[in-house]
């Protein structure tokens, strides 16, 4: 009997239009997995591995959840690139399916659900995030599932869902602080719309309490260490990140999320603003508020990436509503083709499908150059690719210098480096040379 029920539930899921989204998600995971080992360890991955050896409730530059995830992953699957990068790819695939589910909840049919999934998969910035183990792929996942919960809550007028929203926000904050901007934008939108009625709901405040309880241990850690993350973020904003301004930041979104996705996510904002006499309007407030925060805090282009699956889902529903009345039968296939072509052209920028020399030639052929998100210079490779090279060679040179020391000198030797990538590389690869850990 139970087996029959499970079969019926699975059949209902696929009959609802999720067959193509699931296939897209599976293909993305399989293709990414083929190239997980093409280059080397990313700078942040080496640092995260080092953090797993010092489990804590907080770190100077990030909360602890992604480190705990990696700690479990290392113990179960090991330290290979394929083992490390499987969960990020799985998170990215989940976002594809969640976007389709969101489109379906918004009233979209099979075409909408498939286009929502395709629009996410064809967004270079989102696909690229799912390729490496950082906080970012999990951040996108938490944003997307939180957005889906709010869509369900507002459409069905189901205040009990604030409990689940609070759970997701709490876990999301333990992964990366940026999901707090989503909550801020949503609350602001509720204040200025009729959905402020939920402020009188016990369910809303229960959800808020759950988020606070989950995040509280990290807050107490910050207090006990004099808020090092605030100092880190202030220093990064003032001294590290490039000031882009609103125009360059917007153009970066167009490039990273796929040029042909632009009318979709902009349309998604409009859709949420107008849908059902404003019942979903709080969701329309999130994007402009987060965008302005990024402008004034010198945020990087990719900091906004987590918001797009929600708006792409809204945009595809609007697209489906607009096309039939204007009798443009060619619009759907033309748009899908354009979206896919841009996505395919962008593949070498999202995952290491080409050897370095061929990638540099390809990059020149399509007329792009590495973007400087930080005040340090860039060379021929984008930073996210460049930071996957040279670590073993660096450690080898340090080991050669270390071997020239006498036994007495080695016993007192201190390896001092200038950044966390170098320190992480020496700690990870240095054990093969008998090196002590670096100080950064």
């Amino acid at each position: 009997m139970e087996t029959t029920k499970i079969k019926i539930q699975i059949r209902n899921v696929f009959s609802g239009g999720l067959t193509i989204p699931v296939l897209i998600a599976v293909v993305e995971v399989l293709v990414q997995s083929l190239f997980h080992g093409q280059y080397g360890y990313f700078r942040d991955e080496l640092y995260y591995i080092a953090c797993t050896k010092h489990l804590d409730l907080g770190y100077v530059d990030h909360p602890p959840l992604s480190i705990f995830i990696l700690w479990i992953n290392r113990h179960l699957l090991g330290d290979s690139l394929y083992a490390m990068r499987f969960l990020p790819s799985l998170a990215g695939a989940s976002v594809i399916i969640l976007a389709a589910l969101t489109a379906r909840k918004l009233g979209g049919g099979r075409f909408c659900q498939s286009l929502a999934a395709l629009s996410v998969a064809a967004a270079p910035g989102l696909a690229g995030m799912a390729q490496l183990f950082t906080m970012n792929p999990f951040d996108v996942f938490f944003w997307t599932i939180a957005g889906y919960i709010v869509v369900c809550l507002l459409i069905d007028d189901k205040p009990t869902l604030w409990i689940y929203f609070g759970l997701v926000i709490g876990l999301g904050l333990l992964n990366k602080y940026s999901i707090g901007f989503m909550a801020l934008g949503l609350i602001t939108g509720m204040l200025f719309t009729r959905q402020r009625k939920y402020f009188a709901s016990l369910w809303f405040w229960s959800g808020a309490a759950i988020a606070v309880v989950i995040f509280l241990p990290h807050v107490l850690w910050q207090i006990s260490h004099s808020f090092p993350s605030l100092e880190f973020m202030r220093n990064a904003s003032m001294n590290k990140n490039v000031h882009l301004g609103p125009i360059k930041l917007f153009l970066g979104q167009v490039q990273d999320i796929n040029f042909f996705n632009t009318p979709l996510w902009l349309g998604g904002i409009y859709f949420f603003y107008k849908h059902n006499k404003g019942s979903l309007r709080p969701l329309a407030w999130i994007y402009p508020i987060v965008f302005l925060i990024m402008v004034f805090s010198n945020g990087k282009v990719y900091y906004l990436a987590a918001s797009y699956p929600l708006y792409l889902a809204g945009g595809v529903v609007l697209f489906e509503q607009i096309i039939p009345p204007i009798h443009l039968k060619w619009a759907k296939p033309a748009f899908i083709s354009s979206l896919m072509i841009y996505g395919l052209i962008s593949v070498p920028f999202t995952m290491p499908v080409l050897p370095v020399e061929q990638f540099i030639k390809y990059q020149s052929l399509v007329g792009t150059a590495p973007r400087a998100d930080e005040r340090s210079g860039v060379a021929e490779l984008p930073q996210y690719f460049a930071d996957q090279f040279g670590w073993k060679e660096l450690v080898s040179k340090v080991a050669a210098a270390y071997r020239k020391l006498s036994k007495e000198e080695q016993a007192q030797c201190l390896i001092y480096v200038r950044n966390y990538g170098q320190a992480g590389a020496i700690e990870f690869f240095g054990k093969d040379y008998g090196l002590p850990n670096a100080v950064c």
Side-chain angles (χ1 to χ4, degrees):
M1 189 68 177
E2 288 298 321
T3 305
T4 304
K5 286 182 179 179
I6 292 171
K7 287 181 179 178
I8 292 173
Q9 289 173 357
I10 292 173
R11 194 181 304 121
N12 288 339
V13 167
F14 284 96
S15 64
L18 286 182
T19 303
I20 293 178
V22 169
L23 287 175
I24 292 173
V26 170
V27 169
E28 179 171 285
V29 171
L30 291 176
V31 173
Q32 286 181 346
S33 297
L34 288 175
F35 297 97
H36 279 162
Q38 181 81 344
Y39 292 172
Y41 289 88
F42 183 54
R43 175 177 61 170
D44 290 24
E45 291 174 330
L46 294 170
Y47 169 52
Y48 278 32
I49 290 172
C51 289
T52 63
K53 300 175 184 177
H54 311 277
L55 292 181
D56 207 339
L57 292 174
Y59 301 86
V60 169
D61 51 347
H62 55 80
L65 182 59
S66 58
I67 304 303
F68 279 87
I69 292 172
L70 182 57
W71 182 85
I72 294 171
N73 195 74
R74 291 185 67 206
H75 281 77
L76 293 178
L77 302 176
D79 287 333
S80 74
L81 289 169
Y82 295 98
M84 279 190 68
R85 294 173 176 175
F86 175 71
L87 283 181
S89 289
L90 197 61
S94 301
V95 169
I96 290 172
I97 297 171
L98 282 167
L101 286 170
T102 304
R104 181 165 74 177
K105 190 63 183 180
L106 292 169
R110 293 174 184 270
F111 169 77
C112 264
Q113 294 168 49
S114 300
L115 182 55
L118 179 63
S119 67
V120 171
L126 294 172
M129 280 187 179
Q131 182 70 15
L132 302 170
F133 193 102
T134 66
M135 296 176 285
N136 298 322
F138 306 111
D139 187 43
V140 179
F141 171 77
F142 284 123
W143 274 67
T144 308
I145 196 168
Y148 175 66
I149 290 170
V150 175
V151 166
C152 294
L153 189 157
L154 296 179
I155 286 179
D156 298 335
D157 191 19
K158 231 175 173 182
T160 55
L161 292 180
W162 286 118
I163 295 290
Y164 299 101
F165 180 75
L167 176 65
V168 172
I169 292 296
L171 291 173
L173 286 169
L174 279 183
N175 174 69
K176 191 174 181 179
Y177 305 128
S178 63
I179 200 170
F181 299 139
M182 178 197 191
L184 176 63
L186 180 67
I187 291 170
T188 304
M190 290 167 60
L191 281 171
F192 289 100
T193 64
R194 57 189 174 90
Q195 302 297 8
R196 55 182 167 269
K197 66 180 183 180
Y198 288 113
F199 292 133
S201 168
L202 180 62
W203 293 110
F204 174 85
W205 295 106
S206 297
I210 288 173
V212 169
V213 168
I214 292 173
F215 191 51
L216 184 60
H218 178 65
V219 174
L220 295 176
W221 183 92
Q222 290 285 343
I223 293 171
S224 67
H225 291 79
S226 302
F227 296 99
S229 296
L230 288 178
E231 181 180 354
F232 167 81
M233 289 186 285
R234 184 181 70 249
N235 289 336
S237 175
M238 294 175 61
N239 305 316
K240 179 184 177 184
N241 296 348
V242 172
H243 176 68
L244 297 173
I247 295 176
K248 287 185 178 179
L249 185 62
F250 177 81
L251 292 176
Q253 308 308 308
V254 172
Q255 180 182 7
D256 276 16
I257 305 301
N258 191 317
F259 175 85
F260 295 98
N261 267 333
T262 305
L264 288 183
W265 61 262
L266 288 174
I269 298 172
Y270 174 81
F271 175 83
F272 287 129
Y273 188 80
K274 284 292 188 179
H275 181 72
N276 196 20
K277 299 179 181 179
S279 63
L280 298 178
R281 194 164 292 171
L283 293 170
W285 280 78
I286 296 173
Y287 189 87
I289 288 174
V290 176
F291 185 88
L292 288 175
I293 291 173
M294 294 303 119
V295 170
F296 290 109
S297 64
N298 290 343
K300 296 181 181 180
V301 169
Y302 77 85
Y303 287 2
L304 281 154
S307 65
Y308 289 105
L310 173 65
Y311 294 107
L312 289 170
V316 299
V317 178
L318 181 66
F319 179 76
E320 189 176 49
Q321 292 173 353
I322 289 174
I323 293 304
I326 57 178
H327 305 292
L328 295 178
K329 293 182 179 179
W330 52 266
K332 287 183 178 180
F335 182 79
I336 290 172
S337 300
S338 301
L339 193 67
M340 291 179 67
I341 290 170
Y342 189 104
L344 290 172
I345 291 173
S346 302
V347 165
F349 295 92
T350 65
M351 64 182 82
V353 298
L354 297 175
V356 172
E357 294 78 10
Q358 291 184 23
F359 172 80
I360 293 172
K361 291 178 181 178
Y362 180 80
Q363 181 178 243
S364 176
L365 179 66
V366 298
T368 63
R371 182 176 62 219
D373 289 327
E374 299 180 1
R375 299 185 187 184
S376 55
V378 293
E380 294 180 297
L381 287 175
Q383 186 177 359
Y384 56 87
F385 280 163
D387 283 345
Q388 296 181 50
F389 291 95
W391 302 118
K392 287 185 178 180
E393 292 79 1
L394 168 74
V395 176
S396 177
K397 289 182 178 180
V398 172
Y402 180 78
R403 283 194 295 266
K404 293 179 181 179
L405 302 177
S406 66
K407 293 294 183 182
E408 293 76 15
E409 289 172 325
Q410 288 180 0
Q412 301 178 46
C413 177
L414 176 70
I415 301 175
Y416 177 76
V417 297
R418 60 185 298 271
N419 65 56
Y420 65 87
Q422 295 170 348
I426 288 172
E427 183 159 334
F428 185 70
F429 296 113
K431 58 180 179 289
D432 294 333
Y433 297 95
L435 293 177
N437 291 335
V439 174
C440 176

